[in-house]
Structure formats: structure tokens, C-alpha cells
Amino acid sequence: MKDCTVYKTVDIIGKKWSMYILFELHKGEKGEKGFNELKRKLKDITPKTLSARLKELEEQGLIQKIIDDSVLPVRCEYSLTASGEDFISIIRDIKAWGLKWKFGNKVCENSVCRLCEL
């Protein structure tokens, strides 16, 4: 099964916090977010886990790390790649499934994902 596309995909995005990170990078006006901003938005994630997930998502090509060494301290920001942006449609499909079959969340039903507070 290690060559199955479904299993490979679930292995990438099925790890705890991965989808939250992708969704958080999608949200808001600004396309880039720093480590501390992500940590603030994802309140229960530990710095170690956030760091590990960011590295994994970068290695998988879903996010990119932008390093600005023209300022001190050096600033690192993360943003979605084209692949990561494309994955947002899957998150929208998950949302639609949840609204249809499981959760009667009227607030979510009427909100724009980019403005979502999770």
C-alpha cells in the first residue's frame, strides 16, 4: 500500500495540525505569516510540533519559507505554494461535507473561509 496515492496523500496531510497550518496560511489578507503569528493563531500547538509540521509541509512542497536577512533579527515567513493553494479546495470540500452530513453550523455556512476564525 505504500505506493497508493491515497495513502501517500493522507500521510502528508493527515498528521495533527497540518491542515490547520495550511488553512491558517490561507486565511487573512496577508499571504505570509511568521512562526510566532502561526503559534498565536494555533493556540494549543507546541513550538516543537509547529516547527516540525512547517518543515514537513515545506519538504512536501505545500508551503514555502521566505527568509528576510536584510533585517535583524532575521525574519522567516511562510506562505502557501501553488500546491498548497490548490489544497484549500479540499478543505472547502471537507467543510461542505461537514455542513451537509454532520454539523449544522450556520455561522460557518455563511462565512468566507479566508475570514474563518476556526
Side-chain angles (χ1 to χ4, degrees):
M1 286 199 195
K2 67 180 179 174
D3 293 327
C4 173
T5 302
V6 173
Y7 282 86
K8 286 180 176 183
T9 304
V10 169
D11 188 50
I12 293 170
I13 55 107
K15 291 182 179 164
K16 189 173 182 180
W17 296 106
S18 291
M19 287 205 321
Y20 293 112
I21 292 167
L22 293 171
F23 192 52
E24 196 57 51
L25 287 172
H26 169 72
K27 291 171 21 180
E29 297 296 318
K30 189 175 119 183
E32 300 164 353
K33 291 187 174 76
F35 184 91
N36 288 332
E37 185 177 357
L38 288 168
K39 176 69 181 92
R40 267 192 316 278
K41 298 284 186 178
L42 303 167
K43 294 177 175 109
D44 295 329
I45 194 170
T46 65
K48 181 179 177 182
T49 300
L50 178 57
S51 181
R53 291 299 171 270
L54 288 169
K55 184 176 180 180
E56 291 166 359
L57 292 168
E58 184 182 10
E59 288 171 354
Q60 295 297 332
L62 292 164
I63 66 171
Q64 62 184 345
K65 183 178 184 179
I66 302 134
I67 300 171
D68 181 2
D69 58 3
S70 67
V71 295
L72 289 175
V74 173
R75 177 131 174 94
C76 294
E77 292 189 323
Y78 299 88
S79 66
L80 295 173
T81 61
S83 174
E85 282 290 347
D86 194 41
F87 185 77
I88 297 303
S89 64
I90 295 170
I91 293 176
R92 285 191 190 106
D93 289 343
I94 290 169
K95 175 183 175 178
W97 180 88
L99 287 168
K100 180 177 180 179
W101 294 103
K102 296 290 178 191
F103 314 105
N105 185 347
K106 295 295 180 188
V107 174
C108 188
E109 190 174 301
N110 296 314
S111 71
V112 178
C113 284
R114 206 171 271 288
L115 305 175
C116 182
E117 292 295 322
L118 277 181

